[in-house]
Amino acid sequence: MGVHGLTTYLRENQRILAKAIEFPSSSTDVTSIVVDGWSFIYELYEESKLPWVYGGEYKAFSACVEGVVKAWMAVGLRVYFVFDGSAPELKIPTLISRLNHSIVERSLLFFRTSETSRSTPRFLHETRMIPPLAYHACLHALHEVASSADTLQVHFADEEGDPYAVELAGRLGAFVVGNDSDFVILNSGKYAGYIQLDDMLWAVPKSVDAGSGDEDGEFRTVKKAKTKKKSIAQQGTRRGLIPPEHSTDLTLSVSVYTPTALASHFKIPVTLLPLFGALVGNDFSNQSSTQRNVQSLFFERHLTLSQRISRVGSTLNAILSAATQKRKARHQVGSVMDLIDRSVHALLIRQPSTMASGETDAIVDRIVNATLQYAINKYDGDTFGPDGLWPSKVCALHQAETCRLPGLFSRILLSADDEAANNNTAAHDTQLPQLHSLYISAYRSGHLQPKLMDILNTGTFWPRLFLENPDAENVARSIGRPIREWIFAILEDAVGLPEAPEGSRNPEVGQFDTTQMDEEDEDELIDVVEEDSEDDGADLLAPLRGELQKLRVPDEGLEIPASATSQSRSHLPLRPKCVMEYVRRGTRVAPESVTVPDISRLLVSSAFRGDYQEDWTPLPLRPALERMSVFLHILHSSTVALEELPREQLICALVLRWVVRVMHLRAIESSSKEREKEKWTRSEAGAFLAFYTSGRHSLDFCAMPALSGSEPNSGSETTPINSRSIQLMAQVLMAIEGIHHLSQVLLVSERVPVHVHTLSGQTFHMFLAQKVSNYRDTLPAGLWDACTEGLGDAFAEERSVKVKKSKINGKSIEQPSVQKATRIGAAGSQFGLLADLQV
């Protein structure tokens, strides 16, 4: 992440660029740090060595989060976590590439490998993925710590998290902690510098008694000098996030990189670091997979990443040095564009005359776009520190007029020719501020997922993909899409969605257009072409932005239509709105256009027995009981037994009912053997409920595992890694995400807590492997009946265990199962050894 190769360059030049700082627990000083939330999640789950293949060990991960944050506070750090908001359009190609590499390709490799080989610690380490609900577990742990301490705050960025984190650090005079080299490019106010997560070093006081323990005796142990020195140097230290166990008097040592030090190293102004990062290559340099990689035009293939960085730095320095005496620019904009143009021409490894017409201008355009992503508004106030935060109720850093978040909830406009809408202007004017306040408050407090903001910002949605069978239909489509269609309709009716790009509009309402996709070659990579878009708001690079618009062909003004879904605001729009979902299709991530349905038609077609008042009120503004009724109706769970369940048991019942129903309907639609095999059995349903409702059954992983070279806690020796169990878990994880998002959009999430922090995926796999049918006897009263009411025919018959047969002298001999052989071995038979060896 960040500038390509810059992390490696910083490590190679650490002595020149970094400054060492220590935070002892004995100090009374308080230092502020701003933590990149997603970098923290990735690094901590990787370092904890917790099993991932079972779907996530969220209970143990929550304990890890609490332990690390409390250790930071113990050494005098005031911690501010920042999580990303919606991703900008320019980053979509980068996101697709990351998903293909980190999820889809690894899933394909996993399922194309034998069960024996893929269970080895080395293979599991090389194909490691981040469990999809790790964010929920981390957020719950942070809120738990924050509820009892005033030195921890959690923030959610307006859009991209990196500029927000640096701007927050600049306001607080804080360091930024993460694993993204963009933090050494960005700069703002009193920003103190960048600390890498994997470069932390924990130390405890060395023991005074370093001898053999027999100092008064006649004999002493003789040790070589080198060996003794090595053991003392390694005593009581640990590198990384996780501190040493059972230690109180800790000292944290870090290395700090600052933008000023990096700019001085290359002898360029610090204000040109954004251009430096764009020329080297960042997440925004390549806007389309149909265009050639910019960096392939700048650097020879044999150059290392560090050599590329040095080349860009020396090129900028040479241009500035030569231009100092000769340049006589009339306008500041001309000087900036001239610098970019000359830098591009100087870095090109081919002669411009050999390039296609307009290709050089296109490269300059893309470099300008990538540079603008680093722009941070200048703070004009005089108050720094915690007192300088929250100048308005909607944002911790910006006034309500300049914050970009409220604009995402303000896309609804009244049609001038809509008589019915004009008659309800007063009601409309009071409803919109209410919706803004409710949704913004929910987002800032963590009760509205940042992923939902992509729908409002760019009209896209990115389901959290995870390990699943690549030969089966993606669970994001089969399990999640029916729920998300309701989410899109509710948001469109309440606050409005962005206008669909011209190429993504569908011919029919209520259907997603996959005709063109289906005609493509399945092995062909999909090209994602981004539309040019203007960035709102003034910033430090505003002159550069104006010059960029001169280079572009003027775009037609986008007209934001009225809401398409309410009964009182407008009629259906001439062109239906669409949301682009990025899901796995075959062996790659591909966009699929989903038309946003009308909410009133959805309610009528689904036979919802609600109150259809003449003056339409958006669902999020209706009474809590009605919102909850709609929520249960959408999930086909409006039953008396389910409504009487305690709220702690509601989510597991909803998840189970949803996946069982969806798999049953798929089997009815297709009538194929494969679809019939997808259906859940009653024993599998009982295993899921036992897994979700009983936190005491979770396996006891160490909250602070030892750091070793492989997967010490993989658990593959005790719990088998079964393909069906993996697929069932994938369905469950997607259902949890979709149902949780729906509850947040309807503002009923507090009535339906997900309790992810109590879950252990390995426990679910263990229950499934045991195939025990009496799990229902251990469930809370009424839960099983609530989950199965109306779904009697949806379950499949119990699957019999296959018995391996071998032939000896032409006769078939049945081999006993592992459990049967184990019982024989317990009786004293010598064949018990074979059972233990799983032969």
Side-chain angles (χ1 to χ4, degrees), residues 712-783:
N713 293 322
S714 62
S716 58
E717 300 84 358
T718 57
T719 305
I721 303 175
N722 181 270
S723 296
R724 171 150 181 96
S725 299
I726 290 175
Q727 194 64 18
L728 294 181
M729 190 62 173
Q731 297 171 9
V732 166
L733 294 172
M734 184 55 60
I736 292 175
E737 179 189 63
I739 293 174
H740 186 51
H741 286 169
L742 178 63
S743 69
Q744 291 185 326
V745 169
L746 287 173
L747 302 177
V748 295
S749 58
E750 294 184 355
R751 292 171 171 258
V752 195
V754 291
H755 295 298
V756 170
H757 62 283
T758 65
L759 303 182
S760 165
Q762 187 168 349
T763 302
F764 183 42
H765 280 249
M766 182 182 66
F767 287 171
L768 290 173
Q770 291 176 352
K771 298 184 181 298
V772 178
S773 59
N774 62 347
Y775 284 131
R776 284 175 281 176
D777 299 336
T778 65
L779 298 177
L783 179 58

Side-chain angles (χ1 to χ4, degrees), residues 598-609:
D598 179 64
I599 186 62
S600 59
R601 292 186 177 182
L602 273 181
L603 291 172
V604 172
S605 62
S606 62
F608 175 67
R609 300 177 181 177

Side-chain angles (χ1 to χ4, degrees), residues 90 93 284-289 291 365-366 369 528 530 532:
L90 290 178
F284 311 97
S285 296
N286 299 291
Q287 303 171 23
S288 172
S289 57
Q291 298 172 314
D365 192 351
R366 292 159 69 182
N369 266 324
V528 181
E530 295 303 317
D532 290 337

